[in-house]
């Protein structure tokens, strides 16, 4: 079956540091890939997505590239802010899955001033 | 646009009781999915509704059931509550033709079973 594996947290960074969160997946078909962010006490917000190989999703300074050869979708940001402190979830959805999203376990990011 | 709205925001129930959670999808959306998020874990897919029918189901027991109404809103029912059902329950809405590439989540209902 499908699965998503992401690096464990917490990841603690200083403001303006570079952030990378690794995400790899297994899927039987050609999934769409997503990063969602969850702030404390809130639901999930879509951060970015990529629907086919080599696509790059980007939003709010975050980027991730769909790498089919390495089955990866790593999230990066060049200069984090305290406001980026949250839990980040990598997820996939396959075309024949009726919109079922498979999520990773989440990575908590803590940015200190 | 109010986005996806869920009610109630918090709920405390006793073991063995039944609970109903509600979700109103984002305007223009016709598909609703439900997820369970245990503390410190990623959301797990429960089921999805489109055209008032359950279209796909995750690995959850029959104690979990749902319904979709003609206005696309949805309910999640859980019978015979167990302590392990304590979690954040998330509703996600989408349009049928974009259900695999775009989903908007509500704030969730925090269910505590005591």
């Amino acid at each position: 079956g499908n699965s998503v594996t992401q690096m464990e947290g917490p990841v603690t960074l200083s403001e303006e540091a570079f952030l990378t969160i690794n995400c790899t997946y297994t899927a039987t078909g050609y999934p769409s890939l997503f990063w969602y962010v969850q702030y404390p006490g809130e639901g999930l917000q879509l951060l970015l997505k990529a629907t086919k190989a080599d696509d790059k999703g980007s939003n709010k300074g975050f980027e991730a590239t769909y790498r089919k050869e390495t089955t990866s979708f790593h999230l990066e940001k060049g200069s984090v802010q305290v406001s980026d402190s949250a839990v980040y979830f990598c997820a996939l959805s396959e075309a024949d899955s009726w919109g079922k999203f498979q999520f990773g376990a989440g990575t908590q990011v803590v940015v200190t001033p | 646009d109010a986005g996806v709205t869920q009610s109630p925001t918090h709920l405390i129930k006793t073991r063995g009781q039944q609970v109903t959670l509600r979700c109103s999808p984002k305007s223009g959306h016709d598909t609703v999915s439900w997820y369970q998020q245990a503390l410190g874990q990623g959301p797990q897919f429960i089921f999805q509704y489109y055209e008032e029918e359950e279209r796909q189901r995750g690995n959850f027991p029959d104690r979990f059931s749902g319904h979709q109404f003609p206005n696309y809103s949805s309910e999640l029912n859980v019978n015979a509550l167990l302590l392990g059902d304590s979690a954040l329950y998330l509703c996600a809405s989408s349009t049928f033709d974009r259900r695999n590439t775009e989903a908007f989540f509500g704030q969730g209902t925090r269910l505590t079973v005591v």
Side-chain angles (χ1 to χ4, degrees):
Chain A
N2 297 340
S3 67
V4 176
T5 303
Q6 57 183 110
M7 61 189 287
E8 290 188 18
V11 174
T12 303
L13 304 164
S14 298
E15 206 164 22
E16 299 183 3
F18 184 86
L19 170 68
T20 298
I21 305 176
N22 291 337
C23 171
T24 58
Y25 68 91
T26 58
T28 53
Y30 300 96
S32 295
L33 301 174
F34 307 81
W35 278 100
Y36 278 86
V37 59
Q38 187 173 38
Y39 298 101
E42 298 187 11
L44 302 179
Q45 298 177 26
L46 177 65
L47 184 58
L48 54 83
K49 68 180 182 182
T51 58
K52 61 183 187 296
D54 299 325
D55 270 2
K56 177 186 281 188
S58 60
N59 186 27
K60 299 180 182 180
F62 290 89
E63 292 183 343
T65 300
Y66 190 140
R67 300 288 187 198
K68 187 169 181 290
E69 63 276 14
T70 54
T71 62
S72 64
F73 193 55
H74 305 321
L75 182 68
E76 297 181 336
K77 185 175 185 183
S79 177
V80 294
Q81 305 300 313
V82 172
S83 58
D84 294 324
S85 298
V87 181
Y88 293 80
F89 293 94
C90 185
L92 67 81
S93 177
E94 289 210 81
D96 63 351
S97 70
W98 271 90
K100 173 182 175 180
F101 281 63
Q102 181 79 42
F103 285 89
T107 301
Q108 183 180 13
V109 173
V110 178
V111 181
T112 58
Chain B
D1 182 3
V4 180
T5 58
Q6 294 186 239
S7 63
T9 54
H10 295 82
L11 204 51
I12 300 174
K13 289 287 189 178
T14 303
R15 238 181 337 176
Q17 285 189 315
Q18 179 263 345
V19 68
T20 297
L21 311 182
R22 296 177 175 82
C23 172
S24 292
K26 183 178 169 64
S27 178
H29 286 187
D30 55 14
T31 302
V32 173
S33 300
W34 287 92
Y35 290 80
Q36 180 194 66
Q37 185 180 15
L39 197 62
Q41 297 182 23
Q44 298 293 316
F45 178 80
I46 302 175
F47 43 53
Q48 183 187 72
Y49 278 83
Y50 171 67
E51 291 188 328
E52 303 178 46
E53 290 188 16
E54 183 183 295
R55 297 294 178 164
Q56 189 168 9
R57 189 179 183 91
N59 294 325
F60 280 81
D62 292 345
R63 298 187 298 109
F64 289 77
S65 63
H67 188 77
Q68 185 179 34
F69 299 93
N71 67 353
Y72 308 120
S73 67
S74 177
E75 289 182 349
L76 164 65
N77 301 293
V78 187
N79 295 322
L81 284 167
L82 304 174
L83 296 179
D85 295 331
S86 296
L88 180 67
Y89 288 86
L90 296 166
C91 170
S93 77
S94 58
T95 55
F96 177 78
D97 60 346
R98 296 177 64 83
R99 63 194 183 281
N100 295 304
T101 60
E102 189 171 84
F104 291 81
F105 283 79
Q107 301 279 64
T109 294
R110 173 72 64 187
L111 173 65
T112 302
V113 182
V114 297

